[in-house]
Amino acid sequence: MLEAGWTGTSTVPSRSLYPHQWSWDSAFIAIGLRHVSPLRAQTELETLLAAQWADGRIPHIVFNPSVPLDAYFPSPDFWRSSTAGSTAGAPRTVQTSGIVQPPVHALAAWLVHLADPGLSRARGFLTRAYPRLAAWHGYLLHRRDLGGGGLVSVVHPWEQGMDNSPCWDRPLSRVTPAPARSYRRADLDHGAPEDRPTDLDYGRYVRLAADYRDRGYADGPDGASGGFAVEDPAFNALLVASEYALARIAHELGAAGSARRVRAERLTAALVERLWEPAAGMFLCRDVRAGELIPERGVSGLIPLLLPALPRDLAATLVRTMCGPHFGLGGTTRLVPSYDLLGEAFDPHRYWRGPAWFNTNWLLERGLRLHGERGRADALRKGMLHTAGASGFAEYVDPYTAQACGVTGFGWTAALTLDLLHDRPARGRNGLTAIKGGDRG
């Protein structure tokens, strides 16, 4: 499946539905590819990093010029990156989107390096990647702290990656949808309407993106966050995990990583202070514009289980919540759903409003293992492997029946299955255990 998606420089998530390079997809794909082709895994990340903007952002899509414009919307002529993004330093040699996706890239780069350190050193992989990854983190930390509390805000649901999660319904309700006649949804040509975001939600996504573009992709008070700015626990947790990875990369390159470890611990503390909700037993998203937590339980609020400095009692609470009635792991569900099973907006088939996804479950499997929940981690790993094969490596699945939803033969499902198959549990495989130990080998 990954061979079928290989373009020569990167891997498309799906030839039919997603025919370009996606940011966090490529990071997860590289994590799987490292076991069978470390060189290709390095190339995957290098291609993405080559499209970085001068302000440090890594765009969420890098467009393949050989793909027809009508194959995917929003297409390059919507984003107009080289012109609308010129002030922010968009590259002129490649067309990209102007928004970002979760910062899992430094963690991916570190794991790819570990797969073949000799090849990585011979090619100068980390030497070239490190300054770009550092600039990427710098952009997020300095340009996207819209709430003033030390956490990164996303300015569009597509940035967080869990596009139409019910967690976005409240802040999105303030956004006036773009007229339906102003765009055409290419996703409905390849996906069932009942599995995809509604037209109302999609119109709001288009409006937010167009407004951001028309303001030159500027961030901060004068930028386009307008009616949508959200501090998301998963986005920030992945930044923390990648800060730990950058500390390891710095040490590998002969520099000190202590400042990055301190920053990771400070971000963890800010995450707990601003987004932890004891009554929910998990982290919640914060609506920056309204100044309040959003009372919806999404899988994003469980992802901070990845963090080594998470207080022990909070980690234990997250495990109880994951295995309780709201997410049902080990009971009613084999994989963790994307949204609260008991929530009013729960839908087992519609994109991020209930189905189980393989990338979030891969992250949670590592979080469980990191915090000593070996039995639950092993069971989740087994469930993921079985479900991936039985579903045809689906984009996402019904959390109760494991029925395939979206497209099959999906890139990160195939890649993360490779990772689970090659990286055995006994080897301490998530890369985070080593990261939290400091600068030692």
Side-chain angles (χ1 to χ4, degrees), residues 17-320:
L17 186 54
Y18 307 106
H20 301 285
Q21 183 180 26
W22 260 259
S23 173
W24 73 328
D25 290 73
S26 276
F28 288 120
I29 287 168
I31 287 170
L33 282 175
R34 68 191 170 114
H35 299 289
V36 293
S37 178
L39 175 59
R40 209 169 105 186
Q42 292 176 29
T43 303
E44 183 84 36
L45 294 174
E46 288 166 345
T47 301
L48 179 66
L49 292 173
Q52 185 174 32
W53 291 28
D55 66 1
R57 82 182 77 194
I58 295 175
H60 98 296
I61 302 174
V62 181
F63 290 106
N64 182 342
S66 67
V67 174
L69 286 178
D70 62 358
Y72 182 81
F73 179 85
S75 54
D77 58 344
F78 172 89
W79 295 103
R80 305 172 207 158
S81 60
S82 59
T83 54
S86 59
T87 301
R92 293 189 172 276
T93 56
V94 63
Q95 294 295 310
T96 75
S97 66
I99 59 175
V100 302
Q101 276 191 325
V104 68
H105 311 90
L107 175 58
W110 178 243
L111 294 177
V112 167
H113 165 78
L114 291 178
D116 191 337
L119 175 68
S120 174
R121 290 168 185 144
R123 296 187 67 248
F125 170 62
L126 292 182
T127 301
R128 288 178 285 110
Y130 181 79
R132 290 185 175 271
L133 293 168
W136 165 223
H137 287 204
Y139 165 77
L140 293 173
L141 291 165
H142 299 301
R143 302 290 295 276
R144 288 297 193 89
D145 181 10
L146 303 180
L151 295 182
V152 174
S153 292
V154 296
V155 300
H156 196 292
W158 289 340
E159 292 199 313
Q160 195 272 350
M162 303 176 193
D163 300 11
N164 68 326
S165 167
C167 298
W168 318 137
D169 290 355
R170 182 175 293 191
L172 272 178
S173 68
R174 299 191 292 266
V175 178
T176 302
R181 64 183 180 277
S182 65
Y183 63 93
R184 187 188 77 82
R185 294 184 60 176
D187 63 318
L188 297 182
D189 294 341
H190 307 283
E194 60 271 19
D195 289 356
R196 307 294 299 172
T198 65
D199 287 341
L200 176 61
D201 283 339
Y202 212 90
R204 287 170 168 152
Y205 305 153
V206 173
R207 171 73 70 181
L208 279 174
D211 286 351
Y212 195 31
R213 175 200 65 203
D214 293 345
R215 294 186 175 109
Y217 299 111
D219 297 304
D222 299 324
S225 56
F228 190 95
V230 174
E231 293 173 353
D232 173 74
F235 194 103
N236 282 278
L238 289 171
L239 178 59
V240 173
S242 281
E243 276 291 307
Y244 280 119
L246 274 185
R248 294 293 294 168
I249 293 171
H251 178 67
E252 166 68 21
L253 297 176
S258 56
R260 296 207 173 271
R261 291 196 307 276
V262 169
R263 184 178 294 119
E265 291 166 3
R266 186 171 67 244
L267 284 166
T268 301
L271 192 66
V272 172
E273 179 183 353
R274 291 183 64 80
L275 304 185
W276 177 253
E277 177 48 71
M282 62 187 298
F283 293 88
L284 300 180
C285 297
R286 177 176 291 277
D287 183 343
V288 173
R289 294 297 168 230
E292 61 187 15
L293 293 176
I294 299 170
E296 298 285 0
R297 292 178 173 89
V299 68
S300 171
L302 302 174
I303 301 299
L305 191 63
L306 270 176
L307 305 183
L310 191 68
R312 184 175 300 180
D313 59 328
L314 268 61
T317 301
L318 284 178
V319 173
R320 288 195 297 271

Side-chain angles (χ1 to χ4, degrees), residues 350-389:
R350 193 178 292 279
Y351 220 40
W352 289 96
R353 302 180 81 84
W357 289 72
F358 290 87
N359 66 328
T360 54
N361 277 271
W362 181 88
L363 293 167
L364 291 173
E365 190 265 0
R366 274 138 183 79
L368 287 167
R369 202 170 299 283
L370 178 67
H371 289 282
E373 294 285 348
R374 179 176 177 180
R376 288 189 170 98
D378 288 346
L380 181 53
R381 175 181 182 273
K382 182 178 179 181
M384 291 175 67
L385 290 171
H386 173 81
T387 304

Side-chain angles (χ1 to χ4, degrees), residues 316-330:
T317 301
L318 284 178
V319 173
R320 288 195 297 271
T321 300
M322 191 187 312
C323 299
H326 292 286
F327 292 93
L329 181 64

